[in-house]
Amino acid sequence: MDFGSINPVILLASLMVASTPILLAALGEMVTEKSGVLNLGVEGMMIFGAVCGFIAAVESQSPAIGFLVAAIGGAALSMLFGVLTQIFLTTQVPAGLALTLFGTGLASLLGQNYQGISPPRMPEMHIPLLKDIPFLGPILFEHDAIVYLSILAVFAVWAFLKFTRAGLVLRAVGENHAAAHALGYKVKLVRFAAIGFGGAMAGLGGAYISLVRVPQWTDGITAGIGWIALAIVVFASWKAGRILIGAYLFGGITVLQLNLQAAGAKVPVELLSMSPFLATILVLVVISARRHGASNAPAMLGRIFHTS
Amino acid sequence: MIKFIKRPQPSKFWTLATPLLAVILTMILGGLLFAAMGKDPFEAIRTIFWDPLFNPQFAGYSRPQLLVKAGPLILIAIGLSLGFKAGIWNIGAEGQYIMGALTGAAVGLALYPLEAWWIFPLMIIAGAIGGFVWAMIPAILKTRFNTNEILVSLMLVYVAEQILASAALGALRNPEGNGFPGSRNLSQIEWMSNPELISGTGAHWGVIAALGAVVATYVLLNKHMLGFQIRLTGESPRAARFAGVKDKLLVMFCLGAAGALAGLAGLFEVTGPAGQISIDFGSGYGFTAIIVAFLGRLHPVGILLAGLLLALTFIGGELAQFMLGLPSSAIQVFQGMLLMTLLAMDIVVNYRLTLVKKEVA
Amino acid sequence: MKRRTLLTAAAASALALGAAMPSFAQDPVKVGFIYVGPRNDGGWSQHHHEAAVDMAEHFGDAVELVEQETVPEGADAERVMTQMALSGVDIIFATSFGYMDPVINVASKFPNVKFEHATGYKTAENVGVYSARFYEGRAVEGYLAGNVTESNKIGYIGSFPIPEVIRGINSSFHHAKLVNPDVEMSVVWLNTWFDPAKEADAAQALIDNGIDVVLQHTDSTAPQITAQKAGNVYTFGQAADMAEFGPMPRISSIIDLWAPYYIERVQAVIDGTWESDNTWDGIGAGMVGIGEISSAVPADVKAGAEALRDGIAAGEIHPFTGPINKQDGSVWLAEGEVADDGTLAGMNFYIEGITGEIPQ
């Protein structure tokens, strides 16, 4: 085996790009889940965001507007889920699955006229001075704005949940909605906000695929990444920092697998492809075993809240 | 202000009326969608809901096909409903379905070219075991380590899909298949096939099993202690524990039964309608069945009807595609709308809408 | 949407024509197509769809085209084809390998309906099969790749390890090696026909490993865009010309040209002369097109590639002409020997010099 041609610097740089959509979507879903809502519609929101962002970017010739519209689109679609689960008190699992079906179909309808078009290029932001640091410079400081934004978002979400009052309320709602309600917090409002945030982040993640990573629009462009994002949330046991690790690990395995093949190493493709999922299960088991039964999952995850 | 008051018992009237209302509402919304796309909405709706059942050109074939399409959905959904009733969330039926098909097919193919009547029954058992074992992973992890079964079962779907791809390309690949991926065609091997039992009905062993599962579950839930325990656990886990329900055993039972039924569905599909193990064998039945289970309100008869309704929109949607040139994405949106309205309508079954005056604080 | 409106306009004018000449009107021949992906997937399914539309436009009101997209292989395909047959179609084109057994099953129930199955090998009285010798085009790509590479490393993005793909890998490598003995090839398997994000990652991985020519057997343009970003990397259009990426990175392409075949076969149905066939056509018969070789290629290399193309088209050159050894060093083709179609159809080995293994 020859790994000589694999350059770790380049590998790390490209895994950051490959991981960004997962990171964004998983971060959003984590906030949603922290409020006690399990939205399985991530894939649908991502692909909807991907098409919204693509259309907006092409029409306006501005990637920034594209990302903005993608976030709005993802959030708008997630509101459908919000209305179903929070107002109509629908069970969350089937509502999320229906959302994915709906979002995928709608995205494909909207995108019909946008096949084979190139979107405006996203400028790379080479951060002066920092990018000249040997080794780390090219890895960390020669990306586009969204990559930086996604890492900032990890810190923002972490700080929001840990230090702000609103973050505390969100967690309280996710841990015990009855008590939160008794304390006078608006459980549904909080959950709507969390669902909307999840949708917006999924939309951004989708748009990153259609505007930067690929970049083009075709049906089915997200190819199951939304489902992976769901897995990463669990893998991270609902901690923002670990979402970053999880997303980069997953992106890393994907990129490494391809690099190993490109370098001519014998790689069992299927085994490597399933390894992130096996790892997630393992992590889950370890976490839940260590905590003697209490995994870090929000206690109210998936439960319907109704004030009688 | 409108307020929802939880009903002590689900409303009988609305239980029956809401699906109809939801379908009518979806027809209106979908009609608007189709009209916006420049298609005749009435023709589109008729093609989806009416033609598969009553159009003389198609009905003779489409009606039995409803059973073929609905069979696995019902079989899987029935199994899932047991767990869902008890608050056990197995959303990995797709993986269990795939593993059932794989183990069943593997047993059959290992015996090839042996000819004996017991091969098919043996494959059925293997299929059920395959699904069962795959579902036991989340079950054991949950009972031993309290690991969340939603996520483990979901993760195992991806693992199963990779195993499927690997089997279709490797271990189970048809040696006479000119190097293409995919196993031998089981439906063409006499002792391994799951044929249409009565010509023109579409009923194969999987459909029979689905109907059997509906009846058995109905009896279990209504006449049997275990059914009572399942319902009690779902409604109040604490009360159930006091009542002496062995909750770990219940988790094992619910997940295991769901896995075995999903495995059976996979086996009947691979030996019948699908015919062979291929990379794309998992066509999402396991996920669609979750929706079926909820549309049927976790009731065996409801699931039966929901499975048939969904199958109707699949088959009608196909007709609409090539008869009217509707894109498949429009059909997807339409199905999404149907599911959402059906789910949303549930509220009037379980809650009463009342107008209350805003209280003065 | 442009294509769609065009189509409706054509249909409208056809209708008008039909109305004007009632005495000539006869029942149009109804032609069904089923696709495994969305009809606008930018790759395999889209090319069949576009060829189907071209075919329908060619015949005008003599043909009625019905299509169904995103049909999963297996039971669903069987049902869709049966329903099409029941709706009165005269001929069905099933455009994916996985439809093979369903086609045979449905065909046995509808002896009066003709079936054409792409890339399969099972025929019947009313079932013909057709496929393209893409490996002929791959030879031209390999020739170009071997000439233009500076790092002497070329990469190949593979989809599934099936004979069709392996033929392409072997053919391109063989011809790259003929013009450049130092050339090495890396194959990356993706286990998907179409996943733009993964294809982009794969292209990036190849480029990161010093590869400067990327060939692809997956359908999206993502590798082209990745190569464009990277700079000095050469690519080839796959299935479509992908001319918008020329002159760099795309220096040529293999184009799927199904329309002439579709027109020929539907004409046969109209004439009542349709018979089951086993068509495997290449550049010569016009089923495989070689896209314009771009200005990024030196003139002499371009001339050489065109000579190779024309030689293959004329039947003077067989892309697999010995001496060629298998990967393990054993002799496959002796000096001057050409590969037989049977071996090619089931090809499951690499030729000598390719590193790595075919996934099993």
Side-chain angles (χ1 to χ4, degrees):
Chain A
M1 266 188 228
D2 168 33
F3 303 114
S5 59
I6 298 180
N7 180 338
V9 175
I10 295 174
L11 188 69
L12 284 168
S14 57
L15 90 79
M16 285 176 77
V17 173
S19 310
T20 298
I22 310 175
L23 175 60
L24 287 166
L27 209 54
E29 176 68 11
M30 187 197 84
V31 171
T32 308
E33 291 187 15
K34 270 283 179 192
S35 80
V37 179
L38 177 65
N39 183 354
L40 292 184
V42 183
E43 177 79 7
M45 301 186 298
M46 277 189 99
I47 197 158
F48 190 68
V51 79
C52 288
F54 190 86
I55 293 172
V58 167
E59 296 300 337
S60 68
Q61 284 301 310
S62 153
I65 291 179
F67 278 105
L68 183 72
V69 172
I72 295 172
L77 192 69
S78 75
M79 283 302 108
L80 215 58
F81 174 83
V83 168
L84 275 177
T85 56
Q86 301 308 308
I87 295 177
F88 286 95
L89 307 176
T90 304
T91 319
Q92 291 162 11
V93 168
L97 293 171
L99 191 75
T100 291
L101 193 68
F102 184 76
T104 314
L106 201 59
S108 162
L109 277 185
L110 287 176
Q112 271 178 353
N113 307 337
Y114 290 88
Q115 310 269 345
I117 300 176
S118 287
R121 276 283 276 278
M122 186 79 185
E124 285 182 1
M125 286 172 55
H126 292 205
I127 299 178
L129 298 179
L130 288 179
K131 79 176 168 63
D132 299 325
I133 303 171
F135 191 72
L136 283 180
I139 299 177
L140 296 178
F141 302 112
E142 286 192 355
H143 289 293
D144 54 81
I146 302 294
V147 172
Y148 304 126
L149 201 76
S150 67
I151 296 169
L152 279 180
V154 173
F155 286 102
V157 165
W158 169 75
F160 169 78
L161 289 174
K162 196 164 170 84
F163 298 119
T164 68
R165 205 181 142 67
L168 184 76
V169 173
L170 183 96
R171 281 187 292 141
V173 165
E175 287 305 328
N176 189 335
H177 47 220
H181 176 71
L183 287 171
Y185 297 123
K186 296 205 170 358
V187 171
K188 303 214 156 165
L189 205 65
V190 170
R191 289 195 169 157
F192 258 113
I195 292 168
F197 180 75
M201 294 295 275
L204 280 181
Y208 192 79
I209 301 175
S210 66
L211 290 177
V212 180
R213 192 160 153 225
V214 171
Q216 60 173 217
W217 166 254
T218 37
D219 277 2
I221 195 168
T222 49
I225 289 176
W227 297 101
I228 314 264
L230 279 167
I232 301 290
V233 176
V234 188
F235 173 85
S237 57
W238 296 270
K239 287 189 182 344
R242 292 197 200 157
I243 296 254
L244 182 72
I245 297 172
Y248 279 17
L249 212 60
F250 187 89
I253 290 177
T254 314
V255 173
L256 180 68
Q257 187 251 89
L258 296 170
N259 268 279
L260 284 173
Q261 286 201 54
K266 283 183 206 163
V267 189
V269 180
E270 286 91 7
L271 201 65
L272 268 171
S273 306
M274 70 173 82
S275 58
F277 307 112
L278 292 174
T280 303
I281 294 173
L282 202 69
V283 168
L284 268 175
V285 170
V286 169
I287 294 167
S288 34
R290 204 181 48 203
R291 292 170 158 259
H292 296 287
S295 82
N296 201 27
M300 295 294 121
L301 193 59
R303 300 271 184 84
I304 295 170
F305 172 69
H306 176 64
T307 50
S308 40
Chain B
M1 190 184 131
I2 299 172
K3 216 164 156 40
F4 298 117
I5 309 290
K6 182 142 184 130
R7 298 177 196 272
Q9 288 286 314
S11 156
K12 279 252 162 67
F13 170 73
W14 285 111
T15 304
L16 298 174
T18 47
L20 278 176
L21 264 177
V23 169
I24 291 168
L25 187 64
T26 312
M27 284 181 177
I28 296 170
L29 289 172
L32 289 174
L33 171 79
F34 298 142
M37 297 177 63
K39 306 283 176 190
D40 179 348
F42 297 101
E43 199 183 357
I45 299 292
R46 196 204 67 215
T47 309
I48 295 174
F49 286 102
W50 185 263
D51 283 359
L53 293 173
F54 303 111
N55 182 320
Q57 208 174 358
F58 300 108
Y61 174 75
S62 303
R63 258 181 260 160
Q65 282 295 311
L66 279 179
L67 287 180
V68 175
K69 187 83 190 174
L73 289 175
I74 295 169
L75 196 54
I76 301 170
I78 286 283
L80 291 176
S81 71
L82 292 175
F84 292 165
K85 259 192 188 311
I88 297 159
W89 295 92
N90 171 12
I91 61 170
E94 179 77 5
Q96 294 142 22
Y97 169 83
I98 290 173
M99 292 312 283
L102 272 178
T103 44
V107 165
L109 290 169
L111 296 170
Y112 184 86
L114 192 72
E115 295 185 357
W117 63 266
W118 46 264
I119 295 179
F120 188 59
L122 189 71
M123 289 167 73
I124 294 177
I125 295 168
I129 291 176
F132 177 82
V133 168
W134 208 244
M136 270 303 113
I137 301 173
I140 290 171
L141 292 181
K142 182 174 175 74
T143 50
R144 289 274 311 189
F145 305 110
N146 204 19
T147 312
N148 185 322
E149 77 280 9
I150 298 186
L151 307 151
V152 175
S153 59
L154 180 62
M155 294 303 101
L156 286 172
V157 174
Y158 308 124
V159 177
E161 281 173 350
Q162 295 300 327
I163 296 177
L164 173 70
S166 160
L169 289 166
L172 299 185
R173 192 200 291 226
N174 180 0
E176 287 150 28
N178 281 19
F180 279 92
S183 73
R184 287 180 197 278
N185 196 317
L186 301 167
S187 65
Q188 288 168 7
I189 302 171
E190 193 188 349
W191 302 103
M192 299 182 197
S193 72
N194 168 25
E196 194 178 17
L197 295 172
I198 306 162
S199 174
T201 59
H204 57 72
W205 284 110
V207 175
I208 308 286
L211 296 176
V214 168
V215 175
T217 313
Y218 186 86
V219 173
L220 176 82
L221 287 175
N222 290 292
K223 310 276 179 214
H224 198 277
M225 187 62 192
L226 189 60
F228 170 73
Q229 291 184 339
I230 288 173
R231 280 185 289 145
L232 186 62
T233 308
E235 280 153 25
S236 168
R238 275 170 60 89
R241 226 165 293 147
F242 285 126
V245 176
K246 297 201 174 83
D247 54 347
K248 290 191 174 179
L249 218 59
L250 198 75
V251 169
M252 297 268 197
F253 172 78
C254 288
L255 276 165
L261 288 180
L264 277 180
L267 181 275
F268 288 128
E269 195 68 11
V270 77
T271 50
Q276 61 175 162
I277 293 287
S278 63
I279 294 171
D280 303 318
F281 172 75
S283 44
Y285 276 128
F287 289 112
T288 314
I290 297 174
I291 299 174
V292 169
F294 280 100
L295 289 187
R297 301 215 175 79
L298 309 183
H299 187 285
V301 179
I303 288 171
L304 179 72
L305 297 174
L308 289 170
L309 175 67
L310 224 61
L312 180 65
T313 65
F314 275 115
I315 291 172
E318 286 164 5
L319 285 181
Q321 270 197 63
F322 75 82
M323 298 292 285
L324 309 176
L326 274 171
S328 68
S329 48
I331 304 297
Q332 248 183 332
V333 171
F334 182 75
Q335 283 176 330
M337 288 198 294
L338 177 65
L339 300 178
M340 287 197 231
T341 46
L342 274 166
L343 292 170
M345 289 273 182
D346 263 9
I347 190 161
V348 293
V349 177
N350 294 314
Y351 297 86
R352 205 170 53 229
L353 282 91
T354 35
L355 275 171
V356 288
K357 283 190 187 137
K358 195 138 195 174
E359 290 159 41
V360 186
Chain C
M1 193 51 79
K2 260 182 206 136
R3 187 170 288 282
R4 291 252 162 97
T5 42
L6 215 81
L7 188 61
T8 32
S13 59
L15 265 176
L17 268 173
M21 302 182 290
S23 52
F24 292 100
Q26 63 183 87
D27 274 354
V29 168
K30 215 168 163 187
V31 184
F33 275 82
I34 64 169
Y35 313 116
V36 70
R39 71 184 87 178
N40 47 15
D41 66 356
W44 180 259
S45 292
Q46 179 164 345
H47 283 88
H48 286 286
H49 162 68
E50 284 172 1
V53 171
D54 288 348
M55 179 274 298
E57 278 169 4
H58 171 85
F59 286 108
D61 60 349
V63 157
E64 184 190 344
L65 172 66
V66 294
E67 299 174 286
Q68 183 122 6
E69 60 187 335
T70 326
V71 180
E73 298 167 349
D76 294 303
E78 194 164 329
R79 183 176 57 247
V80 166
M81 282 187 280
T82 306
Q83 286 174 337
M84 271 192 177
L86 285 171
S87 81
V89 297
D90 299 284
I91 180 166
I92 294 177
F93 290 88
T95 62
S96 180
F97 169 76
Y99 297 147
M100 182 160 65
D101 288 343
V103 164
I104 298 294
N105 290 347
V106 179
S108 67
K109 282 185 246 160
F110 295 92
N112 293 327
V113 179
K114 323 281 186 238
F115 292 83
E116 292 270 354
H117 177 222
T119 70
Y121 54 83
K122 289 187 186 169
T123 55
E125 185 87 340
N126 57 339
V127 180
V129 292
Y130 64 103
S131 185
R133 294 180 190 265
F134 293 117
Y135 67 90
E136 295 185 351
R138 296 282 170 200
V140 180
E141 285 187 356
Y143 177 91
L144 288 167
N147 273 299
V148 296
T149 178
E150 276 156 32
S151 64
N152 289 332
K153 284 177 162 182
I154 59 183
Y156 202 111
I157 302 175
S159 42
F160 290 102
I162 61 172
E164 156 89 45
V165 179
I166 294 165
R167 274 197 303 274
I169 293 169
N170 284 334
S171 174
S172 53
F173 179 72
H174 178 61
H175 286 269
K177 190 104 179 165
L178 283 179
V179 295
N180 182 349
D182 296 327
V183 82
E184 290 173 24
M185 181 184 271
S186 299
V187 183
V188 175
W189 294 102
L190 296 190
N191 273 4
T192 172
W193 289 112
F194 179 78
D195 180 344
K198 219 168 166 187
E199 290 170 53
D201 289 346
Q204 191 63 50
L206 287 166
I207 293 165
D208 290 348
N209 279 280
I211 278 148
D212 63 354
V213 184
V214 177
L215 284 74
Q216 62 179 100
H217 209 130
T218 48
D219 289 344
S220 90
T221 54
Q224 314 282 334
I225 302 169
T226 308
Q228 202 167 37
K229 277 194 246 174
N232 283 321
V233 177
Y234 303 92
T235 60
F236 297 89
Q238 158 72 7
D241 195 24
M242 300 186 184
E244 65 273 26
F245 294 100
M248 272 293 279
R250 172 223 164 271
I251 52 171
S252 183
S253 59
I254 294 185
I255 311 171
D256 300 0
L257 298 172
W258 303 112
Y261 181 75
Y262 290 158
I263 290 171
E264 181 196 321
R265 300 302 284 171
V266 172
Q267 187 66 52
V269 172
I270 293 172
D271 299 342
T273 56
W274 189 96
E275 272 177 13
S276 168
D277 66 335
N278 187 342
T279 301
W280 197 13
D281 279 344
I283 299 175
M287 199 177 262
V288 177
I290 301 295
E292 171 73 28
I293 297 168
S294 87
S295 56
V297 178
D300 57 324
V301 176
K302 182 176 175 177
E306 283 169 350
L308 176 62
R309 176 194 70 194
D310 298 339
I312 293 173
E316 291 154 8
I317 303 172
H318 192 289
F320 289 109
T321 304
I324 303 177
N325 291 344
K326 292 186 181 179
Q327 190 181 30
D328 58 11
S330 64
V331 176
W332 173 38
L333 297 173
E335 176 87 43
E337 193 185 351
V338 298
D340 64 284
D341 277 1
T343 313
L344 287 181
M347 192 172 234
N348 60 357
F349 56 87
Y350 282 151
I351 59 170
E352 193 173 44
I354 300 179
T355 52
E357 271 180 20
I358 298 172
Q360 287 294 326

